[in-house]
Structures are given as structure tokens and as C-alpha cells.
Amino acid sequence: MNKRIKNERFLKACRKEPVDITPVWIMRQAGRYMKEYQAIRAKVDFLTLCKTPDLATEATLLPVNLLDVDVAILFSDILIPVEAMGLEVVFTENKGPVFPSPIRNQEQIRKLTTPRIEERTPFVFDAIRKIRKELEGRVPLIGFSGAPYTLATYMIEGETSRNFNAIKKWMYQSPTLLHELLEKTTTTVMDYVRAQVEAGAETIQIFDTWAGALSGDEYQFFSFPYTKRIIAEIKKSGVPAILYLNGGGLLLERLVATGADVISLDWRTDLRIAREQFGNKVAFQGNLEPCVLYGDSGTIRSEVKKILEKFGKGPGHIFNLGHGILPDTPFENAKEMIRAVHEESAIYHK
């Protein structure tokens, strides 16, 4: 499969193989900081964009064409499989995703389905096939999903939360029910990522965004076993698995134990320490502070060099932000970051 790809830096880095320069991409790399993306969004709402393969393909290709990133990532949303399970989600401009009827009892859990995912979300797989065709092997394509714990958090909280009171009440008042929800969600996600690989995704990234609010024991009990099963499913499909957890620096040992090929670090984790501790086991992705892109070109290049220096020589590094790019980031600054990574990283690969 990989022989068709002209730029294999990203996949080589996932496998900890030597590269000529450090590969780089940006989480949320097709987004509101791009006027071209805004032009697409002016025509349709967010969910329609996700569900229209031609438009999702157009959005996915924007960063490849305009930024010179080393990998494309499917334009979609982590909550697509949750909607397929039968729970309504509404995407709002100000509050983000909102569930009008969040999960509150066992009856609601029992009503959720483990769907025939190809039938319920055909637009995802149609988009992947179309993107692969349009890419013509220029760069690989990442597919993705939310991790079961993060998806369950949305389903129970009903919207983005700061304190996660609702799901933590379930942990300590109704853990059996929470595990029932996590089990059903895991089955759906496993089918979802498998189908993405079959459609043509060459890597899968799992976003466990909200698991960073968990203690070590909470993570071990309510997220780790489910994430580990999904990682195993991805690797069984023959593609690398990337795991991202916002605020997960203190859980790093457990993240590595999931079996992921690549651990994506947020900006609060010291990349040098992470590599010293676990660099013989996994590759790392990240982890520039997104707000650095508010700086001038000199500042951006300086901060890029610091990240590259922290990782040091040798394979196994994918440059990225430590979280998604912010909507008001100047486009030229994102481009400067990509350019700086490509130009400054060559020294570490000689």
C-alpha cells in the first residue's frame, strides 16, 4: 500500500523509521483560521459539511494544498458514531456540540444501538475513498474517532463541561451502568475505525480529549481497557495507531501501555522527559503550545527549534501542536510553523 505514497515521512515516523526531515501536521488543520474553509462553511452548516463527501474532501485537501503538511486528516467530527448509535447531537456555533437528551438512565443506554456502521455513516467512508483518489498518493490520510470515555462524557454531560460532574457521579454512584455504556460505545468505535481502514485510512488517531480530567485510578478503570481494545483493533488492521489525551502528561505510562504506536502530547508535557522515559517504546507527536502561533515569525521559529531540540536526534517524532489550532490564528503563521519545522529539523536527521 505504502508504495503509492510519494511522501512517506509521516508513516515512517509512526514506525520510528529514519526520515530526511521531521513530518508535521496540525490538529484541526482544516478550520476557521483559513479563509478558504470559511468560504465552504458559509454555504453549509458544520454537520452538513461532515456528511457531504465532496465538501469533506474539499476541506480535507485545503491544508495539503496550501500548507505543505505531510499528512491529511479526514474532515469529520468525533461525535459522528455517537449520532449513529441513536443519540441526537446538535452542533451550535457558540456552545459546540449539544445533546438535547443526554444519557441519564439505563433505559436510554439500552435504547442505543451498536449500528451497522457502514450503513449508518456511509458518507464517512465515501469521503475517505474520494480523498484518497484526490490525493493521488501525495501524502497519507489519517482517520479518527473519539475514545469511548470521551464519547461517553459528551453523552452524559450533554455538552462541553469544565468539571465533568455528571459523568463522575456515574463513576461513583452507578459504575456498572457506566461500564455498560462504555462497552456499547467501544463496540461501535471498533467497527468504525475498522471500516475507515478498509475504506483507505492509513493511520487512525484516537482522541481521548476529556480523559485528562481523570485520576490515574479512574483512567485505569474507566478509559484504559476500552482504549486498549480499540488500539489493538487498529493495529490488527495493519495501520499505526495514534493516541491523544489532553492533559495526559501524568498518565503517560498508562498511555504507552495501551499499545499505541504514537502518543500525541499536549503542550504541558515535556517532550524531552517523555522521550527519555518511553522513547524506546513509542513515537511521539507534538507538542507546540497553540498560542505560539500568535507570535511573529522569529518567535515561531525559535519555539519550533526548542521542540525539535527537546526531542533531539533520531526517528520517531511527528511535529504538531499540543492541541487544535485556534480559530483566530493568522494563516501565515501556521504556514511559517510548517516551513520552520521542515527547514530546522534536517539537522536532527543527518
Side-chain angles (χ1 to χ4, degrees):
M1 178 186 290
N2 296 343
K3 290 181 180 179
R4 297 197 300 269
I5 302 171
K6 300 178 180 70
N7 177 353
E8 284 196 280
R9 292 183 195 121
F10 170 80
L11 292 176
K12 286 183 175 180
C14 288
R15 299 189 297 257
K16 298 187 66 180
E17 296 174 0
V19 293
D20 55 343
I21 56 178
T22 300
V24 54
W25 67 284
I26 303 172
M27 285 190 280
R28 295 182 187 160
Q29 63 186 12
R32 285 179 286 172
Y33 73 103
M34 309 178 82
K35 69 179 188 299
E36 293 84 359
Y37 171 81
Q38 291 178 4
I40 299 173
R41 279 285 281 111
K43 303 173 186 176
V44 295
D45 63 83
F46 176 75
L47 199 54
T48 299
L49 175 50
C50 291
K51 292 183 175 183
T52 308
D54 285 350
L55 294 178
T57 298
E58 185 180 352
T60 299
L61 294 178
L62 285 176
V64 178
N65 295 333
L66 300 176
L67 285 176
D68 195 28
V69 292
D70 292 293
V71 64
I73 182 167
L74 170 69
F75 187 90
S76 188
D77 189 85
I78 64 170
L79 296 176
I80 294 295
V82 173
E83 186 186 50
M85 293 173 69
L87 196 63
E88 181 186 5
V89 57
V90 177
F91 289 87
T92 67
E93 290 297 329
N94 297 323
K95 295 181 68 176
V98 174
F99 290 87
S101 301
I103 297 294
R104 291 290 179 264
N105 54 55
Q106 186 178 43
E107 183 181 358
Q108 288 175 290
I109 296 174
R110 296 283 167 84
K111 285 182 178 179
L112 295 174
T113 66
T114 48
R116 293 180 180 273
I117 203 70
E118 293 95 336
E119 296 177 4
R120 291 300 303 273
T121 61
F123 50 88
V124 171
F125 315 112
D126 288 344
I128 289 173
R129 286 185 282 267
K130 185 172 180 58
I131 292 163
R132 281 290 305 271
K133 182 179 179 181
E134 294 294 325
L135 280 172
E136 297 182 317
R138 284 182 287 164
V139 295
L141 174 65
I142 301 173
F144 68 90
S145 176
Y149 175 78
T150 288
L151 298 182
T153 299
Y154 275 110
M155 296 160 82
I156 291 172
E157 296 286 340
E159 60 186 29
T160 300
S161 174
R162 290 190 177 187
N163 299 314
F164 306 101
N165 303 49
I167 193 167
K168 291 214 169 186
K169 284 181 182 177
W170 278 57
M171 286 181 192
Y172 295 104
Q173 293 179 359
S174 306
T176 301
L177 288 184
L178 180 54
H179 281 296
E180 186 176 336
L181 176 60
L182 289 165
E183 188 69 42
K184 186 168 281 190
T185 306
T186 298
T187 299
T188 299
V189 172
M190 288 174 69
D191 290 343
Y192 188 56
V193 297
R194 185 191 310 116
Q196 288 188 47
V197 174
E198 290 173 355
E202 290 144 306
T203 311
I204 299 290
Q205 177 153 318
I206 298 298
F207 290 89
D208 205 359
T209 311
W210 302 130
L214 298 176
S215 70
D217 288 344
E218 289 169 344
Y219 181 79
Q220 193 68 23
F221 198 52
F222 293 103
S223 183
F224 175 81
Y226 302 103
T227 300
K228 186 175 182 180
R229 282 166 55 189
I230 290 164
I231 296 294
E233 185 65 29
I234 296 167
K235 296 178 73 170
K236 188 169 68 176
S237 297
V239 304
I242 305 173
L243 176 59
Y244 174 75
L245 195 156
N246 187 23
L250 297 178
L251 299 171
L252 192 52
E253 184 174 1
R254 289 177 169 90
L255 303 187
V256 172
T258 63
D261 299 284
V262 185
I263 302 299
S264 188
L265 302 173
D266 72 11
W267 69 96
R268 289 158 289 204
T269 304
D270 191 302
L271 181 57
R272 179 182 285 112
I273 294 173
R275 191 187 186 200
E276 288 173 353
Q277 291 179 327
F278 300 105
N280 62 326
K281 296 181 178 180
V282 295
F284 286 106
Q285 180 173 272
N287 62 336
L288 188 70
E289 153 73 86
C291 290
V292 166
L293 297 187
Y294 290 141
D296 60 22
S297 60
T299 299
I300 293 168
R301 186 165 291 255
S302 175
E303 295 298 320
V304 163
K305 290 170 71 174
K306 288 179 184 178
I307 296 293
L308 293 171
E309 180 183 329
K310 284 185 176 183
F311 187 85
K313 291 184 178 294
H317 184 209
I318 299 158
F319 200 101
N320 207 318
L321 300 179
H323 197 15
I325 189 168
L326 298 166
D328 60 345
T329 299
F331 174 79
E332 287 302 321
N333 289 9
K335 199 166 185 176
E336 175 60 26
M337 186 197 79
I338 303 294
R339 184 164 47 242
V341 172
H342 284 159
E343 292 174 359
E344 300 292 344
S345 67
I347 187 174
Y348 296 99
H349 300 286
K350 290 181 178 179

